Amino acid sequence: MADVTHPPATGVSAGAAGWEESLTGLAERLFDGLLEAVPDAVVIVDRNGIIIQINRQAENLFGFRRDELIGGMVEVLMPERFRGSHVVQRDVYSADPQPRAMDRQRELIGLRKDGHEFPIDVLLSPLPTSAGILVASSIRDITPHRQLENELRERTRDLEEADLQKDHFLAAVAHELRSPLAVLTQVAHILRSPQAGEAGQNSALGALERQTSVMARLVEDLLDLSRVRRGKVSLREEKIDLRTVVLAAVEICHPLFVDRKHQLVVAQPPDPVWIVGDAVRLAQVVSNLLNNAAKYTPAGGHICLTVVGESPVAAIRVRDDGEGIPQALLSRVFDLFAQVGSPREQAGGLGIGLALVRRLVEMHGGTVEAFSEGPAKGSEFVVLLPLLSMEPD
């Protein structure tokens, strides 16, 4: 039988070592490939916080080249105000390295090379090696998530405000209807009473007319605002002299001024102020402003209505010496139901008149603005409309 010659032991050891080196190299290449393939930025550090490796996503996220980071401290990737506390947290993690998310109870901020800060989310994973445990940080820019959270918070606040306004509105409607309904109930008793006499019945009929007029105006304002908000109102535009619109509005509001003993001064230019618009809707704008002034001006107060035409705009100004507008409310006075729930609520109304004014003015291509130096100092409302010409064609 032929002798079997075995290879020397040294040859076997050399071959195993070669395979081991090959497998180690393969593992390193696979690890590097996997590191580059993951979608998040990855930064690997040792227990001292020295950066050992990063992937391409980390370069793109932080704006550093790989050779600028490797060998440096990981704290360079965060704002300076967080670096001291991070060193402590790094030591705490090294004492018990477990896969987990970095502390989400506090804000995590990354720092780009250009100094830009951005919110991040960080997942930590320990990597055991023969040289000790390394820590891989998977880092994600969560700016879009923060923006979405902020938008959701703002929408929630808006919904809460809308719900509060709805409650205030319903309460205001009930308040506004209670008074005329109470009067109508009294009127009904008077008209049924044989002792009322002709004078009593005439007085009751007058009260009936006034209160039904109040209710009709309330309902009409609500319907008008609803139509405007839904785009159901179309303007019947024509060339009109703004002075005639103002006179129509003054006639509408005259009974209110007489009732409250207000002194109304109307100042208009001698020549026509030509604009293109809907005369009925513009008269509604001016009458709402006059009603608003009368509502917040004590009996016997003064209201001034001025019209001027100075190219390129025509201006309508309504000024009173009444209660004025608090600065906190001045920027919101044209918002729907802005009066409701404020100290001004005692004057009555639903807070929709000025909201309707703004929408109708904007439909005419104009603007409206409120001015006041504060409580008890009066207020002024200014409507600007595109001026067509000071002379007719």
Side-chain angles (χ1 to χ4, degrees):
M1 181 179 294
D3 293 334
V4 177
T5 304
H6 296 282
T10 53
V12 174
S13 299
W19 278 109
E20 183 178 349
E21 290 177 1
S22 298
L23 289 173
T24 300
L26 177 61
E28 290 176 352
R29 289 193 298 274
L30 288 174
F31 179 80
D32 290 342
L34 180 62
L35 192 63
E36 296 298 331
V38 295
D40 293 332
V42 176
V43 177
I44 301 175
V45 302
D46 65 12
R47 64 173 301 156
N48 297 314
I50 297 175
I51 299 175
I52 304 300
Q53 184 60 285
I54 68 171
N55 63 357
R56 185 178 299 108
Q57 289 78 358
E59 290 182 285
N60 296 334
L61 180 61
F62 290 99
F64 288 95
R65 296 192 315 273
R66 193 168 308 212
D67 62 330
E68 292 179 299
L69 290 178
I70 293 178
M73 300 300 295
V74 69
E75 281 77 21
V76 74
L77 301 179
M78 63 190 66
E80 187 171 356
R81 62 185 181 277
F82 297 125
R83 294 175 185 176
S85 61
H86 183 264
V87 171
V88 176
Q89 293 172 352
R90 176 159 47 79
D91 291 341
V92 171
Y93 181 82
S94 297
D96 183 25
Q98 300 291 334
R100 63 174 177 82
M102 200 167 175
D103 187 4
R104 290 179 176 173
Q105 299 302 315
R106 64 187 184 90
E107 188 177 31
L108 301 178
I109 301 295
L111 179 67
R112 292 195 174 98
K113 182 179 179 180
D114 61 8
H116 176 75
E117 297 183 6
F118 58 102
I120 57 176
D121 195 18
V122 182
L123 296 177
L124 303 175
S125 299
L127 300 176
T129 70
S130 59
I133 293 180
L134 304 180
V135 179
S137 300
S138 178
I139 306 167
R140 180 172 298 180
D141 182 356
I142 59 171
T143 299
H145 297 81
R146 288 292 173 84
Q147 292 174 341
L148 181 59
E149 289 175 358
N150 292 335
E151 290 175 3
L152 289 175
R153 278 193 291 269
E154 290 178 3
R155 291 181 182 180
T156 299
R157 284 194 295 267
D158 290 343
L159 289 174
E160 290 174 348
E161 177 65 21
D163 187 60
L164 184 61
Q165 287 186 346
K166 178 205 66 178
D167 292 341
H168 286 166
F169 170 66
L170 292 176
V173 170
H175 174 76
E176 289 297 309
L177 292 177
R178 183 183 294 117
S179 295
L181 287 174
V183 173
L184 294 180
T185 300
Q186 295 175 358
V187 168
H189 289 309
I190 293 173
L191 293 178
R192 287 197 185 98
S193 174
Q195 290 82 22
E198 183 177 356
Q201 290 184 344
N202 288 336
S203 176
L205 289 174
L208 176 64
E209 291 176 352
R210 289 192 298 273
Q211 297 306 319
T212 53
S213 176
V214 169
M215 296 175 69
R217 183 179 180 86
L218 174 66
V219 172
E220 193 60 32
D221 279 350
L222 288 170
L223 292 175
D224 276 344
L225 185 60
S226 176
R227 295 185 193 110
V228 170
R229 285 167 65 90
R230 292 183 291 115
K232 299 297 184 180
V233 171
S234 58
L235 301 179
R236 297 180 180 179
E237 293 186 331
E238 57 182 338
K239 180 191 287 186
I240 55 177
D241 180 0
L242 191 56
R243 300 178 305 169
T244 62
V245 170
V246 168
L247 292 177
V250 170
E251 184 177 352
I252 294 172
C253 299
H254 180 70
L256 179 60
F257 296 134
V258 173
D259 182 59
R260 294 183 61 85
K261 298 181 175 60
H262 286 144
Q263 298 182 37
L264 174 65
V265 176
V266 180
Q268 300 205 87
D271 298 319
V273 180
W274 297 104
I275 65 170
V276 173
D278 187 318
V280 173
R281 291 300 182 183
L282 288 174
Q284 186 177 9
V285 166
V286 179
S287 64
N288 276 4
L289 291 176
L290 290 173
N291 270 292
N292 183 77
K295 186 184 301 182
Y296 297 112
T297 300
H302 302 79
I303 299 172
C304 182
L305 171 60
T306 305
V307 177
V308 294
E310 296 180 356
S311 183
V313 297
I316 305 170
R317 300 177 182 271
V318 177
R319 179 162 185 81
D320 62 67
D321 57 2
E323 297 179 14
I325 306 173
Q327 291 298 313
L329 184 60
L330 195 58
S331 62
R332 299 179 53 250
V333 73
F334 293 102
D335 292 349
L336 189 59
F337 316 137
Q339 301 177 58
V340 178
S342 73
R344 299 173 54 143
E345 186 180 11
Q346 61 185 0
L350 297 178
I352 62 176
L354 293 181
L356 185 58
V357 164
R358 179 172 64 180
R359 292 183 180 273
L360 289 175
V361 169
E362 289 174 349
M363 289 177 65
H364 282 82
T367 61
V368 59
E369 193 169 359
F371 302 90
S372 178
E373 295 181 4
K377 294 186 177 181
S379 59
E380 182 178 31
F381 289 81
V382 180
V383 175
L384 300 179
L385 298 168
L387 183 65
L388 179 60
S389 171
M390 292 298 291
E391 299 292 341
D393 292 337

